[in-house]
Amino acid sequence: MTHRIRLAINDLLSKEDSFNDLVNIGGQAPLSMIELIQTIERTSNRKIVYKLEQADATDLLKTEANKIYGDSIFGKIPYTKLEDGIREFFNWANSPRISGQMSNWVMSVRN
């Protein structure tokens, strides 16, 4: 994860009431969910258990990164290989500051 993105995440974490948005900062080509799962499995050396289901009418057929929107929030984002980004994310998520808050975040989004 780039230093600038890490600073933006840390800034968001330090604020009680802050702007939050989901930004697809993906790379050069669309990727299927199966390809993403397989990449995460290879990178983490762990098997992900999943169940394929019929597509739902509300499922997105395709998503693509919006580099312009991402750059407007984070500044110019350098290209990172997906495997490297996943590895960096695991390192970030397992850091003491973040891993200690992970269960609270998960519980905050459950219905």
Side-chain angles (χ1 to χ4, degrees):
M1 192 176 326
T2 66
H3 178 68
R4 189 171 315 168
I5 294 172
R6 190 173 293 121
L7 287 176
I9 290 170
N10 287 337
D11 184 50
L12 287 173
L13 292 175
S14 68
K15 296 178 180 174
E16 291 278 327
D17 185 28
S18 59
F19 168 77
N20 294 287
D21 200 359
L22 181 63
V23 181
N24 183 343
I25 56 172
Q28 301 165 330
L31 191 69
S32 73
M33 288 303 294
I34 296 295
E35 291 169 315
L36 178 60
I37 289 169
Q38 291 170 343
T39 302
I40 293 170
E41 287 178 331
R42 279 193 312 274
T43 304
S44 67
N45 292 316
R46 294 184 180 179
K47 182 75 176 150
I48 297 173
V49 177
Y50 59 91
K51 178 181 172 186
L52 292 177
E53 304 229 352
Q54 284 291 90
D56 183 273
T58 61
D59 287 346
L60 294 175
L61 299 178
K62 180 179 176 182
T63 64
E64 291 190 39
N66 184 338
K67 184 154 177 43
I68 294 169
Y69 183 55
D71 286 352
S72 74
I73 294 171
F74 302 114
K76 182 85 169 148
I77 301 171
Y79 175 76
T80 301
K81 287 179 55 178
L82 178 60
E83 293 84 355
D84 294 340
I86 291 169
R87 197 172 295 108
E88 284 285 330
F89 172 78
F90 285 147
N91 290 339
W92 170 79
N94 287 312
S95 68
R97 178 168 182 251
I98 302 305
S99 65
Q101 297 181 49
M102 202 64 75
S103 62
N104 292 336
W105 293 335
V106 170
M107 295 307 289
S108 73
V109 296
R110 288 195 173 177
N111 293 333

